Amino acid sequence: MNGKVYPKGTVFQLLLSGRVAASVINEWWEASTQTDVRIRKAKTKGCFVLETEDTIFVAHIIKLWPGTKVNIKEPK
């Protein structure tokens, strides 16, 4: 992503539209990615938030869907 090394426990939150969220979950399922993902409805109408700690999966999503908004929550 930006070359920064994130500490263990960093959570990446991606804001995705409905169709993109479905495509991302399909990509996760078909690739048999060994990472935990959580998805929930966002406050933004028609959008979802995908949460994961896997930087490689996040970078893959950003590469496939440029312009994806990402919020990074580092542990305290």
Side-chain angles (χ1 to χ4, degrees), residues 15 40-49:
L15 182 66
R40 60 181 170 82
K41 283 180 96 173
K43 291 180 181 177
T44 306
K45 185 176 181 178
C47 292
F48 295 87
V49 174

Side-chain angles (χ1 to χ4, degrees), residues 4-54:
K4 181 179 176 183
V5 177
Y6 293 98
K8 185 176 173 107
T10 302
V11 176
F12 300 91
Q13 298 175 327
L14 289 77
L15 182 66
L16 307 168
S17 67
R19 288 186 180 207
V20 172
S23 297
V24 168
I25 293 299
N26 192 36
E27 180 78 20
W28 172 77
W29 181 262
E30 288 180 354
S32 297
T33 305
Q34 296 295 320
T35 186
D36 291 333
V37 295
R38 292 171 296 281
I39 193 159
R40 60 181 170 82
K41 283 180 96 173
K43 291 180 181 177
T44 306
K45 185 176 181 178
C47 292
F48 295 87
V49 174
L50 182 128
E51 296 178 340
T52 186
E53 294 181 6
D54 188 357

